[in-house]
Each structure stands twice: as structure tokens, then as C-alpha cells.
Amino acid sequence: MGKQITFDKKEDLPLVTSSFESMAWNKTGDWRYLKPIFQDKTPPCNNSCPAGEDVQGYLYLAQKKKYKEAWNLIKEENPLPAVCGRACMHPCEDSCNRGEFDEPINISAIERFLADNAIKQGYILPPIKRKKKKEKIAIIGSGPAGLSCAYQLKRIGYQVTIFEALPALGGMLRIGIPDYRLPKDILEHEIDTILELGIQIQTKARIDKETIAKDMKDFHAIFIATGCHKSIRLGIAGGDSRSVISGLDFLKDIHFGKKVPLGKKVAVIGGGNTAIDTARLALRLGAKPFILYRRTPAEMPAIKSEVIQAENEGIEISYLTAPTRIISKGNRVTALECVKNRTGPPDSSGNKTLIEIKDSHFPIEVDNIISAIGEIPDISILPEEVDLENRLIVTDESLKTTMNGVFAGGDVKSPLRSIAHAIGSGKRAAIAIDRYLKAKTLEDVMDTIRIGDGPGLSMRSYLQRDDPSRRKTKQVVRYKDINIDYFEQKPRHAVKTLSIEERVSSKKEVHLGFPCETALQEAGRCFNCGVCNHCDNCYIFCSDLAVIKHKGKTRNTIDYDHCKGCGVCIEECPRDAMYMEREEK
Amino acid sequence: MIKVMIGNHAVSYGVMLSRVQVIPAYPITPQTSIVEELSEFCADGHLNARFIKVESEHSAMACCIGASAAGARTFTATSSQGLALMHEMLHWATGARLPIVMANVNRALGPPWNIWNDQTDSLSQRDTGWLQFYCESNQEVLDTVIQSFKISEEVLLPTMLVLDAFFLSHTAEAVDVPDAQDVDRYLPRYQARYRLDVDNPHSFGNLATPEYYQGFRNKIQDDMIRARTVAKKADEDFESIFHRSYGFTEAYQCEGADLILVTSGTVVSTSRIVIDELRKEGRKVGLLKIRMFRPFPFDDVIGALKDAKKVAVLDRAISFGHSGIFAQEIMSAMYNQPSKPLIYSYITGLGGLDVTPRIITDIINDACERDIPPQESIWIGGKS
């Protein structure tokens, strides 16, 4: 206890009571029965990213203008941010808590800015510090799954060779996404940064069961990521006709510079991204394409914003319209007979059933028909030991197939065909292969590396799993957990787009990137859900001075000798980066 | 420089000239234009002060306490319900010995809802340990702001200056705005004797045991009493520079008066006219204006009233279950005097009821006619 001062007379008294020595001897922490604890939680964007990006982490770095660090952070999880910043369907934005406040953060545009900025500034990845391992791994397919797996395995230290059937790497990113959405120089730049790590490549190397059995004996593990490159045939009269072009073949042929003769009236059948891209590419080649989709707009699997752009460009989409017959004159297609559908009650899978409207058949004059109703894997190349189900490879959680040492990921394994899922599965396979080669299981580390309760795994957590500091809990922060008193409504910054005239007369990229200033402002809208961003509200509000600040980036700590557990720090934390624990006494 | 301005802006100019450093404020009719004008002064650089928007009057006063404890010259303004909400903090400001100055625009309390003038709000805070001044004109308002800082910073007690809703707050008059240099000479920069200082940490307001607590309270009363001397000197110094002074009370035509009317605020101005008229008729009536209510100016009041036969106190407030509050104060001041007048308590002008020359004349006539004051206050005017 401090020294007590006594006064004899009124005249000796000061005007106000005051202390002249520290009161720290009074350990008021004894009074506490609830204990506040600093603990980062999982932001919803991170939780929903199939590629396992630390979205909040790089938005935070972007807020601090640390663009290089932000890019590095993405690259730890995903080698293709310039691709994802353009072509990912960004589930992160759908789950963004800001969406319930005003509008979600434009995460994809910020990701693209960071990646484009890295290209512009010529940033290179930090060198791999891990010891080179002797084991060799074969990656079959160089789409996002294959590239992601190769990249992460290389970072772990393995020797990696990619086998690609086509003359150039990229898989569906190269042939399936036209230049106006993903310029090829951007794709190539990102692929180069992966290859620069020292990855062997073999292009025009189509693999089949024999080569897998013979030529891959030297490899300690194989990752199959051959994707879905076979178009589903149109199952209608005349559908097998040579005059019906497959959407994917069309995109591929145009990419490799083949001439595809098109008339004016081009009917594109389907509602996925291939259908939309096919129609928009045909438009740029001078045709007047239109899209026929048998279901409703709500069920359309294509990225919504791309559908809107297609419509803006003047492409008409007829919904609940299904082709029934192709009418030809000689070798030439002249018309497409269609029927109108209506929706019925949902079936067992939850999709609305389609009911043909009687006598609603009608012909549409067409010059070409492009069928883009879906793609499936080419399973003829797979060894018999690899089990299939619904034409997809069967694996366990660790992406292990039924054949020893063979893993599979990406579209050839998963029905959830998206770039981010493919990148995520490549990473999952890389971790699983590392575990396999060490005779350990993926399951043992899942709790450490899984992001929240979502689909993504964190490579950073995997590589730094001995360091539990700043690891986030699985709890996903929701809008109700945010103290919105600390935020003001600010509209989302939209990216600018090329004028319609400029788009259709060129193959130029439709979406223009954010300028630096806009990216900074947009990143500044982030709530940083569940993650301490050193706002110091806890420090400011603590009436017991029990929140201790430290120099540098070290986060605040709590002086439990004096914290009374009043909880004001938790109440005033804008982003729920703390929690309260009951103390048993 | 003579400027035509409303009473609220007279407050704002007084605050600006006093070079106040922190203004935490929450709006309430009819006070709002005081702090609005101050926010303009802050925005356009006429006043180098921190203007803090707060979420309630309680917070406004809490903020004043913090700022004043840190050594800043601090001001806020409020009214009615807002002042009531500050109540707890008013006591704290006194106990912490902080020279905060606040303008209270007298407004009735609800319900019934009412935004007009009466004195219930400030008189309800009589015992919080704040000095209180009731102003009659816009000039007096401006001058009293400056004087208030002078007095408060000397005795380390807070001051509330009070002006009537609308009759002063929103009524324009010509006001002589003093030169800033003269005000600086009169009111130098505030140097706090006790100050929160992060480089020299002390905690203030710590617990005091019963044997000490009473001593601290006794010192507050000592300084309240001392405030009379300090306020007198402040008024004299003010006069020597600005050629205006106000005193604690003002006796008007009290010489040889048989009946003296006692009141405060803008009713004083109206009463002056009534007294002049009645004097012309040859009636021996006078008027006593009470400007300083806390500390109570016993000597001035006793001196002015002791020779009168009757005193009629016009109150714009009522202590329910007792009588007019000014009337009680006057009665208690006179009680121990060997020669004392009969004292009559009149209630009028509540909730903005216009106190006309007619009402004042009725009060004087009523007091003249009654031989003995009734036990209960007499209500005049309105629906009473």
C-alpha cells in the first residue's frame, strides 16, 4: 500500500482529493469474475474463399498502403491473384458483412489492383527458404488446380513437373476465358512467376493410362487435374450434326488463332459461363448472337455480373426456352426449333422441375448453333484403379484417389467448378501429398489449417504450424457481432468498364482496374471483422488503464492484475476481436 | 463596437472574447443558437477552441469536467430538461473545484411540454454548489460571461449564468462588444492550480473518509462566501475597464418605499416601467433586482428591504408544497432582522406566460391591500 498522508486542520486540506503515488499496489484484478481476452476470429470473407486467401489480411495491408506485403500475403495462398481479381466469382463479396450495412467491399477489384500493381512494379516473390526435398511429383494438367498444386509443392521444397496436353499452360484459364475477361499476357505473367520457382514443364504431353503406368514410375506422387474439356453433346435431333459447334471448342479455336466461319445469327445454347463467354466472343467477331436457356435467370450458373454485361452489350437471352430440333438444308443449318418451358414444383434435389408448354414449339432462323450446355472430364485417359462416380474421380478428404500415390483435384474431381475451388483443391493436394510422403495424415493438421468452417485451407498456417500466435479461432464473425456505431456508410466503388462500342470492336478487357487511390479508399471500407487492427479502442476506453500498449506491431495486452473485467473493451471493440471468459474462483 | 444581437449570441460573443478552449455541447431549444454560433466561430477561426459534439447533456457536462480538469477554460450551454439531465455532473464539477462556466437559458420543464420561459430549471439546481447570475439584458449577458470566468477561476467553483428564454435568448438588442485586447487584459489565460497531466500523473476525486469529507465540503462553502468578495472586485475591475457594472442586486426607487417588489431576469425591465408609473401617481413603491442568487447577497438584500413595510416577491418558479423560491430566500434572509417587512410570495409567468405591466401592477396592488401575507403563495394570471 502507498503512503497515507494525514491532515490535522481544515486549512491543511487541499481543495480536492488526489493521489501522490501509484495506486498499482491495489490489485483490482481480484474483483474480476469475467476475463476479456484478445483473440482474432475468422472474417467471413476468409471463411468463404475456396482458395483460402486471407482476404481481410490483405485488405488491411492495402489500407496501410503496404501493397507489396498485401500481394505477398495473397501469393502465400494463391499464385493467381491477377486471374482471380478478374475471373473469380468472388464468394468473399457475397459473405462480406459490409453487405448488410451498405454494400460489400469490392474485393475482386482490390485483389486485381494488388496483382496488377505487382506486375507493374516488377515485384518478385520472396525466395523459398525451405530445404530442397528429393521427392518428385508429377502434376497432370496446368489449369488453376495443377498450377496451384505445383506452386505450393515447390514452396514446400519438392521437385515438380507439370504435364500439359495443350501447347501452352493455363488449362481452362487459357482456353475457356476470353481475352476481354482475362488478357493472356496477364495470365502468362502469373504463370511465369510460378515457373520461376523452378518447376519443370512438359507441354503437348497428353497423358494416358499407359504413360501414367510407365513414364511416371519415378514420381513419388501424382496429382491429376485434367479438368473438364469434353463438351456435352446436344441430345436433340440433329444435335450430332457437324454444324453444331461446341462452345468450348469455339473458345479454344479462337484462342489458338483458328478461323471459325460464323454467320450473323448465332444461337448459343446454355446458361453457364461458357455460354456467356461464347456469345460475347461471337459478338466481338461480328456476329449477332443470342442465348437460349431452358431454366430461369435465378438458376443460371454463370457469374451474374457477366450475364448483365452480356445483356448490356445487346445479347438477348431467352429463358425457359429449350431447343428441340435442328433444321438443316443440305449441310447447312437453317433453323432451330425450340419449345417454351414453365417451372413446376421443386424436385428432390431442390431444382424446379421443367414442364414443356404444350404446342409452344417455334422455329428460330439461325446461321450457326453453338452448344455450351456443359463440359465433362475425359475419363478415357484415367487408369482403371482410379474409381469414378458420376464421371468424376472419387477421392477422400485429402484428395487421395483409390490408386496409391495418386491424388486428384479441380474440375475432374469436383462438381463445384470454379477457379477458386480449383486453386483451393490444388493447395489441399499439395498439403496432402506432403503429409502422404511423410507418412502422416492430413486429418491431423486439419484443425490447424482449416479456415473457419469454410472450404479453404491456409498454407501459411500449415507452414507455420509451430507458431500459434495470432491464429484465428474457427468462429466466423457475423454482422451482428460488428459494433456498427464505429462505421459510417460509404458506397462501394465500382470499377469502370469500356464503352459498349469499344468492347464489340475489339477484344480489349471490359473491366478497367482500380486506380491506386480508389483501391485504397475501397480497402478502407473494410470492417476488419474479427481481426485486431490496432484501433486502440480497448486502450482508450479502459478506465482501469489495464490495456497495455506495446511498441511496434505487437498487439495490446491486458494487465490482469488490474483489469476488473468490466467488459467495456469488448463492448467497444468495433470488430469483435475479443471475447469474455468466465473465471472460476 | 455596438452590434445588434440576440441574447444567445451575446453569450457566444462573451465566450469568444473569453478565449474559451473547450466547448462540449448538446443542442436544446432555446439554447441551441448559442453553441451554433460558437461552432461557427470555431469553424471560421475566430475562436481557437475544441468544439465537442456529445450524445447528451450529461456527457456534455462530463466532458466539461474532463476538459476543465486538464486545465482548459471550458464552457457549455443548456436549458430545461438538459440541465436536469446534468444534475449529477453539476455536483461533481463543484466537488472537483472546476471553474466551468455554463449559460442556462431558463425554460420550463415538462410535462406539459413547453419550451418557454420560467426559472424552475436553474432554481432546481440551487444546491449543486454553482454560482448563479440572473441577467436582465443582452449587454449584461455578454458582460456576465466574461465576469463569470474571472470569478470562477479565482474561487475554483463553477458558474451558471441565466437568461430568459426568448425574452432575452431570441430578442435582439444593441450590445457594446468589448475590444478583445481589453478583455484579455481583464481576463488573462487560465492557469489551473490542479491539473490532469499525463506527465505528472495523479488521480483526483479519490475517496475521502468521513473525518475528511466534511472538511472538503466546508472548504466549498468557504469559497462560496469568498466568492462575494471576489465577484465584487471582478465587477469593480470590469467597470474600470469597460465602464459598466451590475452589482449583486440593484435597488431601484427604493428610497423611502413602503413596498418593494423583488424579482429577477427580464421581469425587472418591465417592473421598472411600472414602478416609474406608480411613483408618478405618488405611490411609495420600489424595486429590488436580484442578479446574484448564489452565493446569496444577504447584506445587499437586507440593506435594501429592512426599512420597507412590505415586500412582494415575484417568482417565475414554484417549489411545490412550499412557495416561490426567491420568496423563501428573501424570507429566510430577513427572518433574524430586528426590523423586517411583511413578505408576500407571488407566482406568475410560468411556462412563458407574459408578465405584463398589468400583472405587475396587480401584484403591487394586491400586496398593498392585504394586511397580512397568506401562508400560501398567491398565483396571478394565466388559468390559475
Side-chain angles (χ1 to χ4, degrees), chain A residues 50 83-92 108 111 181 303 418-420:
Chain A
V83 170
C84 287
R86 290 172 164 82
C88 178
M89 60 202 282
H90 44 73
C92 49
S108 51
E111 182 178 29
R181 276 216 287 144
I303 299 172
S418 82
I419 300 170

Side-chain angles (χ1 to χ4, degrees), chain A residues 162-191:
Chain A
I162 298 176
F163 297 88
E164 169 56 54
L166 292 171
L169 303 191
M172 204 57 98
L173 301 177
R174 175 174 291 278
I175 61 162
I177 306 178
D179 281 19
Y180 68 84
R181 276 216 287 144
L182 175 59
K184 291 302 149 315
D185 56 332
I186 297 286
L187 174 66
E188 276 154 17
H189 192 283
E190 289 216 311
I191 292 175

Side-chain angles (χ1 to χ4, degrees), chain B residues 128-341:
Chain B
T128 54
W130 284 57
L131 281 74
Q132 285 197 1
F133 291 93
Y134 288 80
C135 299
E136 185 190 347
S137 69
N138 292 354
Q139 184 70 59
E140 187 180 339
V141 164
L142 189 151
D143 294 344
T144 303
V145 173
I146 298 166
Q147 287 193 4
S148 295
F149 282 109
K150 182 91 175 167
I151 303 162
S152 274
E153 289 169 9
E154 174 60 33
V155 297
L156 293 184
L157 286 170
T159 298
M160 187 187 302
L161 72 118
V162 183
L163 58 154
D164 286 346
F166 302 106
F167 300 122
L168 278 191
S169 71
H170 288 65
T171 305
E173 289 182 334
V175 175
D176 186 354
V177 180
D179 281 348
Q181 294 93 320
D182 290 340
V183 178
D184 288 346
R185 194 148 54 89
Y186 176 76
L187 182 67
R189 204 186 151 84
Y190 171 50
Q191 302 286 347
R193 264 174 276 171
Y194 302 88
R195 193 163 82 79
L196 275 182
D197 180 359
V198 286
D199 297 324
N200 180 22
H202 294 280
S203 63
F204 292 103
N206 324 41
L207 183 132
T209 50
E211 54 181 322
Y212 285 119
Y213 182 83
Q214 190 165 308
F216 284 104
R217 303 316 269 187
N218 191 196
K219 284 176 93 84
I220 294 173
Q221 173 68 356
D222 288 348
D223 281 327
M224 261 293 186
I225 292 164
R226 188 163 71 87
R228 289 198 196 103
T229 319
V230 172
K232 190 163 191 294
K233 172 90 170 35
D235 200 32
E236 286 163 5
D237 290 350
F238 193 86
E239 186 177 21
S240 69
I241 298 176
F242 304 103
H243 314 295
R244 288 187 296 275
S245 72
Y246 300 94
F248 302 160
T249 62
E250 183 193 336
Y252 183 72
Q253 307 261 41
C254 287
E255 208 62 34
D258 290 336
L259 182 141
I260 296 174
L261 178 75
V262 179
T263 192
S264 60
T266 50
V267 178
V268 173
S269 298
T270 319
S271 301
R272 287 177 201 275
I273 293 162
V274 174
I275 297 296
D276 287 347
E277 291 296 318
L278 295 178
R279 279 283 183 176
K280 269 187 226 160
E281 291 169 19
R283 296 179 62 180
K284 289 178 166 177
V285 291
L287 167 68
L288 182 69
K289 161 186 171 176
I290 309 279
R291 172 169 177 261
M292 187 171 80
F293 179 70
R294 279 291 178 275
F296 193 80
F298 285 107
D299 291 345
D300 298 56
V301 168
I302 293 164
L305 301 182
K306 65 179 178 3
D307 297 330
K309 294 194 177 74
K310 291 182 177 179
V311 166
V313 186
L314 190 161
D315 262 295
R316 266 199 126 126
I318 167 87
S319 170
F320 295 116
H322 199 290
S323 56
I325 296 166
F326 271 92
Q328 292 171 36
E329 299 266 333
I330 302 293
M331 287 177 200
S332 79
M334 301 308 293
Y335 182 78
N336 285 334
Q337 297 309 307
S339 116
K340 51 187 174 259

Side-chain angles (χ1 to χ4, degrees), chain A residues 230-247:
Chain A
K230 227 173 119 176
S231 298
I232 299 174
R233 297 239 148 191
L234 207 52
I236 57 171
D240 287 339
S241 152
R242 293 179 61 122
S243 54
V244 178
I245 315 166
S246 116

